[in-house]
């Protein structure tokens, strides 16, 4: 890695801090990391790379400490005491310790931070029994090993259920992580070189760091035996080592010939991915999309994760093995039902809508005009004083008093802006409304709690108040009551969520907040990314996922009303599935804001589902429901000693 930075990326040698072997002690690593935040040489947007190649381990969390799977994961420094230590000396570098340091760096410098960990998620011995030429980068701790609770508290300044501060650069917003393997796997090395790092460097040299996103890296790496690299972080779609966002999300899906029927193809995407009949795809030989093979159309069965396709009207082509499909036309039932007031001021708008409905860009969702507001439109527009009024038609919103979007500064002649907003509305309402065609099997097995977070009276090392879920008589107060969440915006509070899985099946989850007042879709939680869908699960069997507190890496949330609003309504929507689905393309910025900003073997079942909960924000709401009218952060991976950290203008390691 050091040679690559010096020779290929031309990073000055004095911009690299390299701690190896006996130099890589716990104190040295932590001090080198903390120095980044106070080093005046590092500019506000300089890329920062933290690379670790060594051992990782995990230990059982002490009683009174909340952690995923009841485990604490850690990097193993050179002076680690494997038999255990009663104080901080000889301990590993805990996951929450690294997370807090990264947040501090992002606060002071920027969130242009890349963390690469070539280590195991847990202890696995030193030699892979399947291949003696491979060593495993994990330390198997003795069964008697434990971490004293007071050491964890002293180290992180925290206690169980601690949350991030909730600012824009905390949790998984502070950095992007590339990890060598998923939870429970081993990171391999041969002849002293990590298999993951070797393949990573080969990819970066061949493709160029300026042409790859972080997600591209884990999906384009060659297959590593029994090792599935992971990518985590809210900024996965950025260009590598750069704060620049890549082109809009467009997923590539695997496609292969159907074994049972010649001329038919099986697309590795289905209902859960938003695929419907008549959707069309361009098929490419490889992920670089350099060789176009032809076009297919979804004409057969669409199940949760697969769809059957045939030639899409063009020339037929032969396909052996796996190719890659890019969606070029949306399918049926994805148009926005739209009512437009019959007003001559909208003449240009009607003309443009006609062009849109003729599929001038078939990859985008279109519109279906309805005759009256009684025809159940998703959205409606009218004119008032030569300004466009955007009407919210969702019944729950209207029942609580949100009938129009609170932006009244778009003139009727601004046709481009109007069409842009309507396109955003088409995506917003399609993703809001789509749900599984099944009978809600997963929905019935997952509960969603909304918890107000309050100050515990304690402070962390950075003097930030520690937040915990509010409790009355030792019982957490759940604001999700009878299918609705009510938020009192007069309280200066932060909120977190917990998804609990009562089934014996591990689940993937994604959570978004759909803001009906500005058409934005904010991701509250997204799982990591990995090639072939081999990402870590979100909710273990009989387990839970905390969002905004605990160790999910997601930040807590707060809510306010806009100046011209007395009530606001949004929807918390949770997507659930038994297979990994990349839902990151659902997120979108507000078109109004953008305009201003310019173990037992069982037969596997394939399921997906959603949960949608209205969130009402109003003044004076109380948890007792006698109100109104009408009805996270940490690094969630294991690490596993050479350690490099650095800084400087242009590039940092």
């Amino acid at each position: 890695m050091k040679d690559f930075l010096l020779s290929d990326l031309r990073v000055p040698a004095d911009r690299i801090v390299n701690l190896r072997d006996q130099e890589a002690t716990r104190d040295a690593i932590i001090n080198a990391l903390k120095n980044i935040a106070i080093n005046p040489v590092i500019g506000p947007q300089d890329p920062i790379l933290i690379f670790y190649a060594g051992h990782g381990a995990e230990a059982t969390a002490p009683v009174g400490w909340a952690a995923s799977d009841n485990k604490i994961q850690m990097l193993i420094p050179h002076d680690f005491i494997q038999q255990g230590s009663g104080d901080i000396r000889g301990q590993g570098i805990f996951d929450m310790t690294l997370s807090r340091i990264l947040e501090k760096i992002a606060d002071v410098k920027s969130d242009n931070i890349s963390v690469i960990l070539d280590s195991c998620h847990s202890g696995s011995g030193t030699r892979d029994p399947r291949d003696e030429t491979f060593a495993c980068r994990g330390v198997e701790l003795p069964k008697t090993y434990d971490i004293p609770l007071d050491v964890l508290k002293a180290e992180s300044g925290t206690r169980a259920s601690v949350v991030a501060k909730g600012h824009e650069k905390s949790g998984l917003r502070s950095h992007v992580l590339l990890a060598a393997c998923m939870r429970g796997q081993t990171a391999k090395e041969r002849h002293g070189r990590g298999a993951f790092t070797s393949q990573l460097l080969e990819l970066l040299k061949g493709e160029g760091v300026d042409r790859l996103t972080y997600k591209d890296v884990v999906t384009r790496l060659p297959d590593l035996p029994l090792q599935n690299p992971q990518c985590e972080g809210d900024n996965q779609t950025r260009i590598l080592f750069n704060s620049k966002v890549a082109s809009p999300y467009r997923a590539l899906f695997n496609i292969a010939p159907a074994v049972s029927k010649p001329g038919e193809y099986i697309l590795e995407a289905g209902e859960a991915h938003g695929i419907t009949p008549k959707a069309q795809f361009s098929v490419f030989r490889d992920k670089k999309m350099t060789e176009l093979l032809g076009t297919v159309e979804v004409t057969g069965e669409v199940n949760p994760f697969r769809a059957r396709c045939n030639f899409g009207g063009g020339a037929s082509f032969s396909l052996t093995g796996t190719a890659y499909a890019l969606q070029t036309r949306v399918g049926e039932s994805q148009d926005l039902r739209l009512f437009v007031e019959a007003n001559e001021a909208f003449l240009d708008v009607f003309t443009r809508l006609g062009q849109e409905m003729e599929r001038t860009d078939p990859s985008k969702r279109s519109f279906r005009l309805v005759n009256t507001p009684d025809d159940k439109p998703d959205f409606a527009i009218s004119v008032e004083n030569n300004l466009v009024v955007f009407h919210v038609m969702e019944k729950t919103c209207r029942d609580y008093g949100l009938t129009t979007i609170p932006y009244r500064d778009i003139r009727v002649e601004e046709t481009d802006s109007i069409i842009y907003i309507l396109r955003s509305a088409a995506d917003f309402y399609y993703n809001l409304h789509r749900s599984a065609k099944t009978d809600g099997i997963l929905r019935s097995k997952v509960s969603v709690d909304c918890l107000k977070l309050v100050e515990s009276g304690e402070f962390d090392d950075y003097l930030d108040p520690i937040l915990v879920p509010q409790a009355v008589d030792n019982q957490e107060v759940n604001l999700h009551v009878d299918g609705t969440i009510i938020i009192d915006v007069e309280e200066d509070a932060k909120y977190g969520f917990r998804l609990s899985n009562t089934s014996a099946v591990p689940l993937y989850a994604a959570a978004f907040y759909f803001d009906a007042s500005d058409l934005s879709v904010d991701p509250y939680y997204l799982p990591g990314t990995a090639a072939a869908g081999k990402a870590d699960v979100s909710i273990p069997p009989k387990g839970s996922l905390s969002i905004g507190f605990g160790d999910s890496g997601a930040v807590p949330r707060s809510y306010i009303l806009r100046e011209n609003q007395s009530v606001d309504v949004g929807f918390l929507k949770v997507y659930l599935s038994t297979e990994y689905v990349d839902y990151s393309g659902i997120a979108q910025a507000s078109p109004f804001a953008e305009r201003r900003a310019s173990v037992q073997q069982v037969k596997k079942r394939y399921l997906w589902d959603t949960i949608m909960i209205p969130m009402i924000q109003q003044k004076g709401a109380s948890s007792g429901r006698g109100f109104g009218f009408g009805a996270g952060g940490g690094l969630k991976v294991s690490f596993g000693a050479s350690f490099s950290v650095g800084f400087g203008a242009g590039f940092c390691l």
Side-chain angles (χ1 to χ4, degrees):
M1 179 63 75
K2 180 182 177 183
D3 290 345
F4 170 72
L5 291 164
L6 290 171
S7 301
D8 292 71
L9 299 187
R10 308 286 184 183
V11 178
D14 61 359
R15 295 292 188 263
I16 299 175
V17 175
N18 195 351
L19 303 176
R20 302 182 65 84
D21 300 326
Q22 65 271 13
E23 297 176 339
T25 64
R26 189 179 198 278
D27 284 348
I29 292 172
I30 289 178
N31 289 336
L33 287 169
K34 288 183 175 180
N35 183 64
I36 299 175
I38 60 175
N39 193 321
V41 175
I42 304 175
Q45 290 299 322
D46 286 345
I48 298 169
L49 171 61
I50 299 169
F51 174 79
Y52 177 84
H55 287 88
E58 68 180 8
T60 301
V63 176
W65 189 269
S68 294
D69 298 335
N70 198 35
K71 297 292 184 181
I72 300 293
Q73 299 169 344
M74 65 188 85
L75 300 171
I76 302 301
H78 189 271
D79 57 346
F80 177 75
I81 300 175
Q82 191 167 348
Q83 290 70 37
S85 175
D87 57 28
I88 200 62
R89 289 175 297 179
Q91 296 285 349
I93 300 175
F94 307 131
D95 49 4
M96 79 287 294
T97 303
L98 181 55
S99 176
R100 292 297 286 162
I101 295 173
L102 291 171
E103 288 180 13
K104 185 65 175 180
I105 297 171
D107 250 352
V108 178
K109 301 300 182 181
S110 79
D111 58 2
N112 189 10
I113 303 173
S114 307
V115 180
I116 301 176
L117 303 178
D118 195 343
S119 60
C120 295
H121 281 245
S122 58
S124 305
T126 59
R127 189 63 55 185
D128 189 338
R130 293 173 293 268
D131 186 342
E132 288 296 319
T133 65
F134 277 97
C136 299
R137 290 184 162 175
V139 171
E140 196 72 48
L141 300 178
K143 296 184 183 299
T144 57
Y145 187 92
D146 66 350
I147 304 173
L149 181 60
D150 58 348
V151 168
L152 280 176
K153 289 183 178 180
E155 168 69 3
S156 60
T158 62
R159 57 185 289 179
S161 299
V162 65
V163 304
K165 291 180 289 183
H167 56 69
E168 63 178 8
K169 295 178 182 177
S170 59
L172 288 176
R173 295 177 174 183
S174 66
H175 64 282
V176 181
L177 169 73
L178 295 175
C181 58
M182 66 191 302
R183 187 182 301 121
Q185 290 185 329
T186 57
K188 313 293 194 309
E189 71 170 48
R190 175 178 275 166
H191 307 306
R193 295 184 181 276
F196 167 67
T197 301
S198 296
Q199 295 289 359
L200 172 64
L201 292 178
E202 185 175 328
L203 176 68
L204 299 185
K205 291 176 181 179
E207 299 279 344
V209 297
D210 58 340
R211 300 189 337 199
L212 291 168
T213 68
Y214 293 91
K215 288 178 66 172
D216 289 337
V217 169
V218 294
T219 57
R220 294 189 187 181
L221 281 173
D223 291 339
L224 297 173
L226 302 176
Q227 187 174 337
N228 300 104
Q230 306 285 300
C231 177
E232 295 186 6
D234 286 4
N235 298 317
Q236 296 179 36
T237 56
R238 284 182 178 177
I239 298 295
L240 209 62
F241 311 136
N242 196 318
S243 57
K244 178 182 177 182
V245 178
S247 57
Y249 169 89
R250 301 189 76 182
L252 279 175
F253 301 110
N254 287 7
I255 188 169
V259 176
S260 59
K261 190 175 180 181
E264 191 170 67
Y265 303 90
I266 303 299
L267 180 74
E268 296 294 315
E271 182 186 1
H273 304 79
I275 306 302
T276 57
K278 303 298 182 183
Q280 283 191 358
F281 295 81
S282 292
V283 181
F284 297 90
R285 180 76 66 186
D286 55 35
K287 292 180 180 179
K288 296 181 182 179
M289 297 187 292
T290 55
E291 182 183 352
L292 176 64
L293 299 178
T295 302
V296 296
E297 182 176 295
V298 176
T299 55
E301 174 189 8
V302 180
N303 68 27
F305 307 112
R306 311 286 182 273
R308 290 185 175 270
C309 304
N310 285 284
F311 298 123
S316 63
F317 60 91
S318 60
L319 178 63
T320 57
T322 300
Y324 303 92
L326 176 70
Q327 188 169 3
T328 55
R329 191 180 75 184
V330 298
E332 296 176 337
S333 305
Q334 296 197 24
D335 296 339
L336 178 76
R337 291 179 58 85
L338 175 66
F339 172 74
V340 180
E341 179 187 41
N343 190 311
E344 64 179 12
F346 276 143
L347 181 59
D348 287 344
V349 172
F350 277 112
T351 300
R352 284 288 300 278
L353 286 172
Q355 295 170 350
E356 294 284 327
M357 293 165 65
E358 291 177 358
R359 303 282 189 179
T360 54
D361 186 349
S363 67
K364 297 184 181 298
R365 296 183 177 93
S366 188
F367 310 100
R368 182 175 303 175
L369 295 178
V370 299
N371 294 323
T372 73
D374 297 328
D375 292 331
K376 297 182 179 179
D378 301 311
F379 204 57
I381 59 174
S382 64
V383 180
E384 185 176 307
N385 297 325
N386 208 44
L387 298 176
V388 180
V389 180
F390 298 92
H391 298 266
V392 180
M393 306 305 293
E394 189 73 31
K395 184 178 185 304
T396 301
C397 297
R398 299 186 71 84
D399 285 348
Y400 278 92
L402 179 66
T403 59
T404 61
I405 284 180
Y407 295 98
R408 297 286 184 91
D409 60 349
I410 298 177
R411 302 180 65 82
V412 70
E413 60 267 21
E414 295 182 72
T415 306
D416 287 345
S417 293
I418 296 169
I419 296 299
Y420 179 64
I421 291 167
L422 294 179
R423 284 176 177 170
S424 295
D427 291 337
F428 180 94
Y429 283 104
Y430 170 71
N431 286 311
L432 178 66
H433 291 152
R434 73 183 179 98
S435 60
K437 297 176 183 176
T438 61
D439 54 1
I441 296 174
L442 295 184
R443 199 178 318 156
S444 66
K445 299 296 184 181
V446 175
S447 62
V448 181
D449 297 341
C450 177
L451 307 169
K452 184 165 76 170
L453 306 172
V454 296
E455 294 186 9
S456 66
E458 300 180 50
F459 297 84
D460 65 16
D461 289 343
Y462 297 110
L463 302 182
D464 296 316
I466 295 172
L467 305 179
V468 296
Q470 182 186 44
V472 176
D473 297 329
N474 294 321
Q475 291 290 323
E476 292 179 346
V477 179
N478 182 11
L479 300 180
H480 180 198
V481 180
D482 297 331
T484 304
I485 296 170
I486 304 293
I487 302 293
D488 183 356
V489 295
E490 291 188 325
E491 295 183 289
D492 183 14
K494 289 182 170 63
Y495 300 86
F497 304 87
R498 181 186 292 120
L499 310 182
S500 299
N501 176 14
T502 63
S503 78
V505 178
L507 297 176
Y508 293 96
F512 297 88
Y513 179 70
F514 286 73
D515 191 332
S517 287
D518 68 3
L519 301 179
S520 65
V521 184
D522 188 9
Y524 276 17
Y525 169 82
L526 288 172
T529 302
K534 301 296 184 180
D536 283 323
V537 298
S538 304
I539 321 178
K542 305 294 183 181
S544 63
L545 169 68
S546 298
I547 301 174
F549 64 102
D551 62 351
S552 69
V555 299
R557 299 289 170 167
S558 57
Y559 303 92
I560 60 172
L561 293 178
R562 296 167 179 84
E563 291 184 0
N564 55 345
Q565 282 188 300
S566 59
V567 65
D568 197 4
V569 181
F571 297 89
L572 174 68
K573 185 158 185 177
V574 179
Y575 294 78
L576 304 166
S577 59
T578 55
E579 287 191 8
Y580 171 79
V581 177
D582 184 358
Y583 287 114
S584 60
I586 292 174
Q588 66 179 47
S590 167
F592 299 95
E594 282 192 354
R595 179 175 178 269
R596 286 155 179 74
S598 319
V599 174
Q600 178 182 358
Q601 293 297 321
V602 297
K603 185 177 180 180
K604 188 171 182 180
R605 302 189 67 185
Y606 297 92
L607 302 171
W608 87 286
D609 211 337
T610 63
I611 300 173
M612 187 170 74
I613 305 169
M615 295 184 64
I616 318 302
Q617 301 119 59
Q618 58 189 25
K619 295 180 180 179
S622 71
S623 58
R625 310 298 251 202
F627 49 76
F629 51 82
L635 191 65
K636 189 191 174 186
V637 294
S638 319
F639 332 105
S642 99
F643 191 92
S644 300
V645 53
F647 44 83
F651 199 90
C652 313
L653 169 69

